[in-house]
Amino acid sequence: MELSPEQEALRIAAVRRYDILDTPPDGAFDRIAALAARLFDASAATVTIVDADRVWFKAAYGLAGVTQIGRDPGLCTSAILTGSPLVVPDTLDDPVARDHSLVTGPARVRFYAAAPITTGDGHRLGTVDVLDTKPRRITPDQATALTDLAALVMDELELRLSALRMLRVERELVEVEHAARERAERDRSEIAAYASTLQRTLLPPALPEVPGLEAACHYTTASVHDVGGDFYDVFPLGAGRWAFFLGDVSGRGAPAAALTSLIRYTLRSTALLERDPCAVLRALNSALLSASSDGSGFCTLVFGTLAPGPAGGFALTLAGGGHLPAHHLRPARRDGPDRVVARTEPVSLAGGMLVGALRHADFVSRTVQLLPGEALFLYSNGLTEARTAQGARFGESGLAAHLTHHAATGRALGAAAIISDLTSLLDTFPAGPADDVALLALSATSATPATAPSGASGTAHTSLPFPPPDST
């Protein structure tokens, strides 16, 4: 099936929109190509953009010196015609692929698999490809992983596009300030709009539905004019396992956005290969140090995985990288005729070091059983550093007391109820938080077993900037 001239014209317009062709090498795309080759144990992998008359390689692992090829029939050109992965087990058996230059030329490609890089409005810009010099087949899980890597490339392109737009706006604002100071307020509004757009690309638009789990999150930025450094995510690992994380990067603005992007995609990619959360943090530590060898691009982080338990609930394994402890909330229980005991306690990950600051950083892990009716709560320091109506710092002790009261009063320990309670608390702080606030809660549902079909969990998600106390 070929694209009609009108469809191809729209697709090329989408390629031009991302302004990616003929740009210098980029570490994020190079890492995705290398990860694809490693995941498939293949000799080569590429990230390509299909132009009007050529296939251009944004990243080419294992194909030294290759920057572009003609838009020959088969392989990349064929892969963008379908919305699912294209697999050619043996190119010599394929009547179209056998004459492709990568097959007949020095590369001698005998195996080819690709997933299209697809925009939100359905245009296929190019592909993430895996190539080998011997015929082979892939598993359904590998096909899914290849699709996930193509989605990561698309996320990176969206983030890059947002950053480019932000830079263009910043240059325009400098010129405007010299031309007319009376336009400054309008310019500030434009910056806030672009900062909000860029911030949204760094956070999941909604949390996925996990059978047997309720998930809820909230993000409040301390400034509508800058990109914050807090982040969180929940994503599938396959075979019924899931991963989640929450953390805080050093700095703010464009550097923090770039660092957050690197962290998010490194965690998502590495977690597909490493089952040990500490190994995932070690891989992230190496990636951050490679991107910033002086240790200035670091973060604090809690990373965890969850798997359904045989009797309901989940087994959670948490790894700490210098971040604040998570809190484990359990329903209140009666201890004697006149005493109700609230069961809320921090999950200590003491000893976990900052991620990206030291070459040989140590990380610690701990396993927690999240039974039906129980919840896990993660947060950033913007919550504990906020000032209450009395002017005092809310602090770790204030948070622990608030969560204990929440559990003791018998209110629902569902994730959405916990996040709603804490966002209502934030509204009572007169000046709002002085730093960004990220909140993530996970609760095991008592009415739905962990083997329930998709759609059994509820998700609440908000991402709202806190209005500054003085907007003038």
Side-chain angles (χ1 to χ4, degrees):
M1 175 184 175
E2 296 288 336
L3 297 178
S4 69
E6 294 77 15
Q7 290 172 324
E8 177 64 4
L10 291 172
R11 193 193 70 80
I12 292 297
V15 170
R16 300 287 184 268
R17 181 172 74 231
Y18 288 91
D19 197 19
I20 190 67
L21 290 168
D22 300 312
T23 54
D26 187 304
F29 298 99
D30 291 341
R31 282 188 291 272
I32 290 174
L35 178 61
R38 206 161 54 242
L39 184 63
F40 285 78
D41 193 23
S43 59
T46 65
V47 176
T48 71
I49 303 296
V50 180
D51 200 1
D53 56 356
R54 60 174 176 156
V55 176
W56 179 74
F57 291 75
K58 177 59 183 171
Y61 177 88
L63 293 176
V66 178
T67 58
Q68 65 182 42
I69 58 175
R71 193 170 164 178
D72 300 333
L75 303 193
C76 305
T77 302
S78 297
I80 65 166
L81 300 179
T82 176
S84 58
L86 172 67
V87 180
V88 182
D90 190 341
T91 56
L92 297 185
D93 291 340
D94 189 288
V96 178
R98 68 173 58 171
D99 296 324
H100 195 279
S101 59
L102 288 176
V103 177
T104 60
R108 299 295 180 189
V109 172
R110 290 289 302 276
F111 164 80
Y112 176 83
I117 302 166
T118 307
T119 67
D121 52 356
H123 298 296
R124 301 179 190 107
L125 307 180
T127 55
V128 174
D129 315 280
V130 176
L131 311 95
D132 210 342
T133 55
K134 55 183 181 296
R136 57 189 293 183
R137 296 185 179 277
I138 67 173
T139 67
D141 285 344
Q142 287 177 313
T144 299
L146 194 58
T147 300
D148 290 341
L149 292 176
L152 289 179
V153 171
M154 193 66 247
D155 288 345
E156 186 67 24
L157 289 173
E158 292 287 0
L159 177 63
R160 182 182 178 278
L161 179 60
S162 295
L164 286 174
R165 287 174 175 169
M166 177 67 99
L167 291 174
R168 290 168 185 156
V169 168
E170 289 177 346
R171 286 196 296 267
E172 291 172 1
L173 293 179
V174 170
E175 297 172 359
V176 168
E177 286 177 352
H178 287 291
R181 288 189 59 85
E182 63 269 16
R183 297 179 59 186
E185 187 57 40
R186 190 185 75 180
D187 295 341
R188 283 167 55 85
S189 298
E190 290 178 359
I191 292 176
Y194 280 104
S196 176
T197 299
L198 182 56
Q199 187 76 69
R200 284 195 297 272
T201 68
L202 302 175
L203 298 170
L207 298 182
E209 292 184 346
V210 181
L213 187 81
E214 182 180 342
C217 57
H218 175 81
Y219 183 84
T220 295
T221 181
S223 170
V224 296
H225 299 292
D226 209 349
V227 179
D230 293 1
F231 57 91
Y232 52 80
D233 205 352
V234 178
F235 59 96
L237 297 176
R241 297 174 64 246
W242 296 77
F244 59 92
F245 56 80
L246 183 144
D248 186 3
V249 305
S250 56
R252 296 186 61 82
L259 187 60
T260 300
S261 173
L262 172 60
I263 292 168
R264 182 181 179 192
Y265 300 131
T266 300
L267 289 174
R268 276 179 160 257
S269 300
T270 307
L272 295 173
L273 303 173
E274 298 283 359
R275 294 185 68 89
D276 179 9
C278 285
V280 174
L281 292 192
R282 286 193 292 270
L284 176 61
N285 191 66
S286 297
L288 295 185
L289 286 170
S290 296
S292 176
S293 58
D294 62 354
S296 61
F298 61 87
C299 72
T300 65
L301 175 69
V302 173
F303 175 84
T305 61
L306 59 88
F314 295 86
L316 277 63
T317 302
L318 304 176
H323 198 75
L324 300 166
H327 282 265
H328 189 183
L329 286 75
R330 300 184 176 101
R333 61 178 174 82
R334 186 166 295 279
D335 185 17
D338 302 317
R339 187 165 177 256
V340 174
V341 178
R343 306 176 66 197
T344 302
E345 62 183 19
V347 180
S348 176
L349 295 168
M353 302 173 70
L354 294 176
V355 187
L358 297 174
R359 183 68 56 185
H360 301 291
D362 290 326
F363 305 109
V364 296
S365 64
R366 178 176 172 183
T367 298
V368 175
Q369 297 299 320
L370 193 68
L371 300 179
E374 298 181 353
L376 186 77
F377 174 65
L378 298 90
Y379 60 100
S380 63
N381 61 0
L383 174 63
T384 52
E385 292 179 357
R387 298 282 174 174
T388 68
Q390 291 72 36
R393 184 169 168 270
F394 185 49
E396 298 287 331
S397 59
L399 174 61
H402 187 86
L403 293 175
T404 299
H405 178 72
H406 183 94
T409 53
R411 286 180 286 183
L413 292 185
I418 294 170
I419 296 300
S420 176
D421 180 45
L422 287 166
T423 52
S424 297
L425 174 69
L426 282 172
D427 290 339
T428 68
F429 296 162
D435 197 0
D436 306 316
V437 175
L439 310 176
L440 176 64
L442 308 172
S443 60
T445 59
S446 56
T448 305
T451 55
S454 178
S457 64
T459 297
H461 178 271
T462 56
S463 182
L464 303 174
F466 196 95
D470 183 4
S471 60
T472 60

